Amino acid sequence: MRVLRFLAALGLVAHIAACAHSPAPAPAPPASRVASSAAGAAAARTVILISIDGFRADYIGRGHTPTLARLAAEGATTPGMRPSFPSVTFPNHYTLVTGRRPDGHGVVDNVFEDPAMTPPRFDKNDKATANEPRWWEGAAPLWVSAERQGVRTATMFWPGSEAAIFGVRPSYWAAFDKATTSNQRTDRLLEWLDRPAAERPRFLTLYFNIVDGAGHEFGPDSPEVNQAAATVDTAIGRLIDGLKARGLYDATDLVVVADHGMAATSAQRRILLDDLVPLADVRTIVTGPVTGLAPLPGREAEVERHLLAPHDHIQCWRKAQLPARFAYGHNPRAPPIVCLAETGWKVATRQQAARYDADPSHQPGKVGGDHGYDPADPTMAALFIARGPDIRPGAVLPPFDNVDVYPLLARLLGVKPEPGDGRLEDVAPALLKP
Ligand code: AMP
Ligand code: ZN
Ligand code: ZN
């Protein structure tokens, strides 16, 4: 039933797509590039993995993303791809390119601690530390395997892509810069494709963050999210025009994904950490829909007595006792106690909450958005579209886990994959020749 409704929505947006103005054309390729492309295209596939951070699966039915709607109609899609636990950015981006659950690849959160390392703290916003290879070497991302197998790669932003993982970097990469516009990212990717044939990358990533940003600030149902989605859609249209101008489009498999969805939040749905546990007894490693805590030495029993008791709108577990479906808690980097908020509920200390309320830009009742909630919740479902010469047009797959994207990418690219948690069988119906 959900699939039917979803298809109906797609049909509607596909119709709008036909009437919409096409986006401004991408810069033209050098003349030599066009001439050499036809022969080069037949030799091997190009695979481009595009992530639209926080693009919830159902956004595509809203009518603001005609390019994505067309790609979905021409290729394969699903009503919702399930993120891995925790449903936040860094763990899930690394899962998409490794096929391993966060507990397996070791980037267990946006912020985490490794007791065996010095310094022990990983924070995605602390660039110097986060780009040290040691955090990322619990698994080899696809660009590392590809480079080792003689396939050149290029990353127009991706968590992990700035680190020399096992000593290997993409042939072309860029340091993450939020200020780069969506169109600029597309154009830099196209420049890499203008390299001479022997240097041209065959596996590329492209990352957009503005849909996630608007979702956090204004909530998933806001006009700002729709506007951001439209802007990214235009940048993807620009990419397609650029691929066509270079004679590459017919030999390119595009895989468009999101890392997670977005749930509406409000200050009315707030869990105060102080009400759960005496804050003097714990170290807070990460606060959010998934909150990670470590009892201070000697305070273990007291902290567990408080936290493991039933609470409204939040549940805490010892890491080893999380529900099995989260596939989380066995990595030494997972916090000793993990708490998961009910979808739409925010976690804060009393002090953080007071600071938020005192900010004049936060009107009482202001709606925002967040993710990190139960990956099975429909609001966390992520976009998935594949389109290209190896993809079955019109395929609609039942919902699958995002660990399955990696075996699909490896297959499209012809790169031997590392062992992982994903199963090609789950996504095989998307292939023209399974
Ligand atoms: P979050 O919503 O906290 O899970 O994280 C999303 C944010 O992570 C994005 O809005 C970006 O600002 C940031 N981000 C995404 N990719 C990178 C990267 N490669 N390096 C640093 N920060 C990033
Ligand atoms: Zn994200
Ligand atoms: Zn986010």
Side-chain angles (χ1 to χ4, degrees):
M1 184 60 210
R2 255 180 86 196
V3 175
L4 278 180
R5 250 188 289 130
F6 175 74
L7 282 175
L10 267 191
L12 181 68
V13 284
H15 171 72
I16 296 167
C19 317
H21 294 289
S22 50
S32 60
R33 178 70 195 84
V34 180
S36 65
S37 63
R45 293 287 188 246
T46 299
V47 178
I48 306 180
L49 173 64
I50 304 173
S51 164
I52 312 176
D53 199 313
F55 195 111
R56 200 170 76 185
D58 64 323
Y59 288 176
I60 194 173
R62 292 181 174 181
H64 300 284
T65 54
T67 307
L68 290 176
R70 196 178 66 237
L71 290 175
E74 292 174 359
T77 189
T78 176
M81 179 169 72
R82 273 182 301 272
S84 295
F85 184 95
S87 56
V88 298
T89 299
F90 269 49
N92 277 282
H93 275 86
Y94 211 46
T95 288
L96 288 162
V97 293
T98 61
R100 307 277 305 267
R101 299 279 181 192
D103 216 42
H105 65 55
V107 182
V108 298
D109 208 319
N110 284 339
V111 179
F112 62 87
E113 290 181 0
D114 188 329
M117 287 189 172
T118 331
R121 192 175 166 82
F122 174 98
D123 182 332
K124 75 175 173 73
N125 295 321
D126 172 8
K127 291 205 110 185
T129 313
N131 291 335
E132 291 174 15
R134 59 193 172 109
W135 307 110
W136 305 95
E137 294 183 341
L142 186 56
W143 62 78
V144 168
S145 301
E147 292 280 346
R148 283 172 167 167
Q149 294 171 43
V151 174
R152 279 192 188 254
T153 66
T155 48
M156 189 57 237
F157 303 156
W158 202 272
S161 65
E162 297 167 52
I165 299 167
F166 301 116
V168 180
R169 279 207 174 88
S171 291
Y172 312 98
W173 58 278
F176 180 66
D177 176 9
K178 230 177 159 161
T180 319
T181 68
S182 299
N183 279 347
Q184 284 168 341
R185 297 175 194 198
T186 291
D187 292 351
R188 286 188 70 181
L189 192 104
L190 289 170
E191 281 168 27
W192 288 329
L193 289 169
D194 284 332
R195 295 271 173 163
E199 297 170 17
R200 194 179 313 141
R202 277 216 297 122
F203 174 61
L204 304 94
T205 71
L206 178 58
Y207 169 82
F208 299 107
N209 55 275
I210 57 176
V211 174
D212 179 71
H216 282 293
E217 195 168 352
F218 303 103
D221 300 311
S222 62
E224 287 85 353
V225 160
N226 296 339
Q227 178 55 55
T231 301
V232 170
D233 193 76
T234 300
I236 295 173
R238 189 177 179 92
L239 172 69
I240 293 169
D241 289 347
L243 291 169
K244 286 180 178 166
R246 286 158 180 80
L248 285 173
Y249 192 53
D250 293 342
T252 299
D253 289 310
L254 291 178
V255 178
V256 190
V257 296
D259 50 351
H260 49 70
M262 188 64 68
T265 58
S266 106
Q268 267 75 57
R269 293 189 296 277
R270 187 185 268 163
I271 301 153
L272 295 177
L273 261 185
D274 318 52
D275 294 344
L276 304 183
V277 65
L279 292 185
D281 287 346
V282 291
R283 210 154 39 76
T284 306
I285 296 168
V286 60
T287 320
V290 171
T291 290
L293 302 156
L296 293 181
R299 306 304 297 159
E300 292 86 352
E302 181 69 1
V303 166
E304 288 195 349
R305 189 173 65 78
H306 280 103
L307 286 178
L308 304 182
H311 297 284
D312 290 338
H313 313 298
I314 189 163
Q315 188 172 359
C316 303
W317 299 267
R318 284 190 201 104
K319 62 189 280 185
Q321 287 159 0
L322 279 157
R325 66 191 180 83
F326 294 152
Y328 192 80
H330 297 286
N331 194 298
R333 295 175 177 182
I337 297 183
V338 178
C339 304
L340 175 64
E342 183 181 330
T343 301
W345 286 71
K346 298 273 275 186
V347 178
T349 62
R350 200 174 294 282
Q351 196 183 29
Q352 287 168 335
R355 217 178 300 137
Y356 180 96
D357 292 342
D359 183 334
S361 73
H362 296 151
Q363 305 294 328
K366 178 184 186 300
V367 173
D370 213 348
H371 52 87
Y373 301 110
D374 189 333
D377 193 282
T379 58
M380 293 300 104
L383 176 74
F384 170 87
I385 302 168
R387 189 264 179 221
D390 300 300
I391 302 297
R392 180 175 297 282
V396 179
L397 281 63
F400 58 88
D401 290 357
N402 69 349
V403 288
D404 295 333
V405 170
Y406 171 83
L408 175 67
L409 294 170
R411 165 70 180 269
L412 293 172
L413 203 54
V415 160
K416 184 175 175 294
E418 294 286 320
D421 301 315
R423 295 183 309 189
L424 186 61
E425 309 92 89
D426 294 344
V427 281
L431 291 166
L432 212 46
K433 295 184 196 137

